[in-house]
Amino acid sequence: MTDSTPDVSDPLPEGASVTVPAFPDLSSQDPDWWRQAVIYQVYPRSFADSDGDGIGDLPGITSRLAHLASLGVDALWLSPFYPSELVDGGYDVADFRDVDPRLGTLADFDAMVAEAHRLGLKILVDLVPNHTSDQHVWFQEALASPPGSAARARYVFRDGRGENGELPPSDWVSRFGGSAWKRVPDGQWYLHLFAPEQPDLDWTNEEVREDFRRTLRFWSDRGTDGFRIDVAHGLAKDLAEPLRDMGENQFRGDHDLLPDGTHPHWDRDEVHEIYRDWRIVLDSYTPPRMAVAEAWVKNSRRVLYTRPDELGQAFNFEYLQADWSAAALRKVITESLATAAAAGASATWVLSNHDVIRHASRLALPPGTDTDAWLLSGGTRPAEDRALGLRRARAATLLMLALPGSSYLYQGEELGLPEVADLPTEALQDPVWEQTGHTRKGRDGCRVPLPWTADGPSYGFGPGGAWLPQPPSFGDLSVAAQDGAKDSTLELYRSALHLRRELQGDESLEWLSAPDEAAEGGAAGVVHFGRSTGWTCLTNVSDRPVPLPVGELLLSSGPLTDGLLPPDTTAWLRQTD
């Protein structure tokens, strides 16, 4: 994989020289900073646009870092900013060690890291090891090379089935719809578990492994503090011939259906040897670089990715998917903390990201809503109860931030942004729309550019328009409209994040009885726990107000009603004698 500038970890040609940026000395930092950090996901194309082309960029991110510092987060995770054809929102990477010219330069990246570190923020880079773009120099070389060549061995090429090889090598399906195989002109097929423009790499190939070691060093040398690993459960594959057909057992995203380590291309046990190898590279830095896995696997399997000699942390999607009920929330919190502790890791919590419907809308819909159908209806069937959704979103966030472990926030959730479900179909850019034959609208609705001001051509996103249309409601939800406004969602996040730093204790909690446990519907309708530093969190998910326990009210996600905690509201209290 090529670089546009010399890699500072590579030997230089004789007589050549390179100016190495003055990266900050991180040796005095706490190596365990990530265990209970709040990490804010930036989707670069939709965060801030500095040059008016409608696409967010690295200088735009740098110009808005003060917002993140004042918000009170500890780090930002950057979704891909690499050279890309943007077939899959930047996750089709053409060069893993450079910046897309539309988003800036490596010098812009260095300036962003320096400013983030000056403000006390850490930087995580999104790494995409399962596949490359079909425009990557390696894949272009593979297409120009014959079957059986070393160039093709970096990817998963196979002969087809049928009399003339006209059938795919197996019945594997793409996560974006349709077959996971595409035929090339000479008759062979290549594997793409996502879009056809995202050919899968073959991780049994040592050249692939060495190149990603180099990529880890490249960004770590530039001051990156950690990595988010895309599709971390997909790298290892059972490619023994004949390839196994899956029939009705295809894995399309529901982690509860995924067998433990036996699927031919998801969550195989062999993947862990790759991450043990990566940990050697990550631990060679002072402090060690952290990593978090995106692994859509169930709790008992997720723990394997979090072992100290592997990535150390993995996203906990059970919390995101949990029903809005006390029983479901208590169950997922208890199990998540237990499995994290068993691996020596810290738990992670997340409610929104660039791949799911924003939780301010998700929690506004009736239980069991078919969200694909809801998006296809433009968010009208069923109707979204915006007030209910925002009330629950604020309560769910305050509950999440009270839990021990790391919380991952998605850009714009601090503004209470809803899903933009009514994007016109001609504006859609997610490959899911086309690959599913227009039966799934895709993820563009959570990727609409942020509103920074109450007016302007893109509500302050940039001096021009935005690559996805923003709804008129964004003006009232903008940073400028909510800044300093009493009871705004932005001010709630700021208060919660700064208070969280003061209250944070060890990585334990104690389940507490509900204050009205003996009353009808009492304990069943609340989530109530205490933390080691003498404060408690109480979330009311029942349909009636409940009394607060004795203590000093520190913060609540909504106003009290006659001294009672209303439904869909969370409160933090300091215990008093």
Side-chain angles (χ1 to χ4, degrees):
M1 301 179 190
T2 59
D3 304 329
S4 63
T5 62
D7 182 341
V8 296
S9 67
D10 290 342
L12 293 173
E14 185 176 354
S17 64
V18 62
T19 300
V20 179
F23 300 124
D25 177 12
L26 305 180
S27 60
S28 63
Q29 293 183 356
D30 179 5
D32 294 328
W33 65 268
W34 49 272
R35 293 188 67 93
Q36 296 204 71
V38 176
I39 298 171
Y40 182 104
Q41 181 188 357
V42 170
Y43 193 73
R45 288 194 300 150
S46 298
F47 191 70
D49 171 23
S50 70
D51 58 13
D53 65 356
I55 301 175
D57 47 43
L58 298 188
I61 295 171
T62 303
S63 73
R64 296 293 189 179
L65 287 176
H67 167 73
L68 301 184
S70 69
L71 191 62
V73 303
D74 300 296
L76 59 149
W77 144 35
L78 294 168
S79 288
F81 50 85
Y82 313 108
S84 172
E85 293 298 302
L86 300 179
V87 171
D88 182 24
Y91 284 88
D92 48 312
V93 180
D95 188 337
F96 290 94
R97 295 188 289 275
D98 203 358
V99 174
D100 191 302
R102 290 164 292 187
L103 274 63
T105 65
L106 284 170
D108 292 326
F109 178 86
D110 296 337
M112 178 190 62
V113 172
E115 177 63 6
H117 286 162
R118 186 187 71 82
L119 293 169
L121 298 168
K122 313 249 184 345
I123 296 283
L124 275 62
V125 164
D126 209 322
L127 198 60
V128 188
N130 181 69
H131 47 260
T132 72
S133 164
D134 63 352
Q135 299 303 304
H136 192 282
V137 63
W138 273 6
F139 194 71
Q140 290 299 303
E141 182 184 355
L143 292 179
S145 301
S149 63
R152 290 203 176 181
R154 299 167 180 147
Y155 294 91
V156 183
F157 277 86
R158 290 293 184 273
D159 293 330
R161 298 184 295 187
E163 185 176 348
N164 298 304
E166 71 278 8
L167 299 176
S170 73
D171 69 350
W172 299 351
V173 298
S174 161
R175 285 290 304 276
F176 290 164
S179 173
W181 297 94
K182 182 175 179 178
R183 201 176 193 188
V184 299
D186 62 27
Q188 279 205 310
W189 300 71
Y190 69 86
L191 179 67
H192 62 89
L193 292 181
F194 294 88
E197 296 86 354
Q198 295 170 290
D200 280 48
L201 291 163
D202 185 343
W203 273 86
T204 65
N205 187 305
E206 178 56 29
E207 191 175 0
V208 171
R209 295 191 177 210
E210 177 54 34
D211 201 83
F212 272 89
R213 294 183 197 111
R214 184 183 175 200
T215 296
L216 289 169
R217 292 192 296 267
F218 180 84
W219 294 110
S220 295
D221 288 345
R222 301 195 87 89
T224 296
D225 302 285
F227 298 87
R228 178 262 188 188
I229 312 304
D230 185 62
V231 196
H233 59 308
L235 277 58
K237 299 171 176 70
D238 178 7
L239 299 174
E241 298 287 355
L243 299 177
R244 284 186 286 149
D245 281 344
M246 295 306 296
E248 295 300 316
N249 297 317
Q250 303 282 353
F251 170 52
R252 293 181 174 87
D254 185 346
H255 59 82
D256 289 332
L257 300 179
L258 187 62
D260 290 351
T262 60
H263 193 282
H265 53 264
W266 296 119
D267 189 38
R268 295 193 58 78
D269 291 337
E270 300 95 313
V271 79
H272 299 290
E273 186 274 326
I274 296 171
Y275 297 133
R276 284 191 288 272
D277 180 63
W278 283 17
R279 178 45 58 190
I280 295 172
V281 176
L282 299 174
D283 282 352
S284 70
Y285 290 86
T286 304
R289 284 5 183 194
M290 64 83 69
V292 57
E294 182 212 26
W296 286 89
V297 297
K298 57 189 178 182
N299 207 15
S300 61
R301 296 291 294 179
R302 188 177 65 245
V303 66
L304 303 177
Y305 296 81
T306 69
R307 291 176 289 195
D309 65 341
E310 293 191 33
L311 296 178
Q313 203 171 60
F315 288 132
N316 172 7
F317 295 114
E318 280 98 333
Y319 183 70
L320 182 152
Q321 296 174 326
D323 292 337
W324 186 242
S325 73
L329 291 168
R330 282 196 294 260
K331 181 176 185 292
V332 71
I333 291 169
T334 299
E335 292 178 354
S336 299
L337 289 172
T339 53
S346 62
T348 66
W349 315 101
V350 62
L351 285 164
S352 285
N353 62 37
H354 66 292
D355 283 333
V356 300
I357 292 173
R358 286 185 176 274
H359 67 282
S361 290
R362 208 170 59 242
L363 294 171
L365 300 174
T369 295
D370 181 338
T371 53
D372 285 330
W374 178 74
L375 287 173
L376 284 171
S377 77
T380 61
R381 296 191 300 273
E384 179 181 354
D385 187 336
R386 286 276 177 90
L388 174 65
L390 182 59
R391 189 163 62 249
R392 286 180 171 176
R394 288 163 59 106
T397 297
L398 210 57
L399 167 61
M400 176 179 75
L401 292 175
L403 294 168
S406 295
S407 292
Y408 285 80
L409 310 180
Y410 179 51
Q411 65 177 39
E413 69 172 79
E414 76 274 22
L415 306 177
L417 294 186
E419 184 82 1
V420 183
D422 59 353
L423 286 172
T425 56
E426 62 269 19
L428 299 179
Q429 298 193 28
D430 192 335
V432 169
W433 174 242
E434 293 295 338
Q435 284 196 228
T436 61
H438 300 176
T439 61
R440 288 171 54 202
K441 204 169 182 181
R443 302 159 293 176
D444 288 320
C446 66
R447 300 175 179 183
V448 175
L450 296 191
W452 294 92
T453 59
D455 51 24
S458 59
Y459 300 104
F461 168 67
W467 68 279
L468 283 173
Q470 302 156 298
S473 61
F474 267 28
D476 291 338
L477 296 174
S478 65
V479 173
Q482 297 195 46
D483 186 26
K486 186 184 180 196
D487 299 328
S488 71
T489 301
L490 175 59
E491 293 302 334
L492 173 67
Y493 269 70
R494 285 173 174 165
S495 297
L497 291 171
H498 288 277
L499 188 57
R500 183 182 187 273
R501 286 181 175 174
E502 298 176 18
L503 297 173
Q504 198 62 268
D506 61 26
E507 296 178 26
S508 67
L509 63 73
E510 177 187 5
W511 290 112
L512 302 173
S513 299
D516 61 346
E517 185 173 7
E520 182 181 352
V526 299
V527 179
H528 188 201
F529 57 86
R531 296 293 306 276
S532 62
T533 49
W535 62 290
T536 66
C537 176
L538 177 66
T539 299
N540 181 9
V541 292
S542 73
D543 59 2
R544 63 186 178 83
V546 298
L548 289 171
V550 175
E552 174 193 358
L553 180 63
L554 300 173
L555 186 65
S556 63
S557 63
L560 304 185
T561 302
D562 298 326
L564 300 177
L565 189 68
D568 303 314
T569 309
T570 296
W572 292 0
L573 302 102
R574 179 175 281 116
Q575 295 171 316
T576 58
D577 295 333

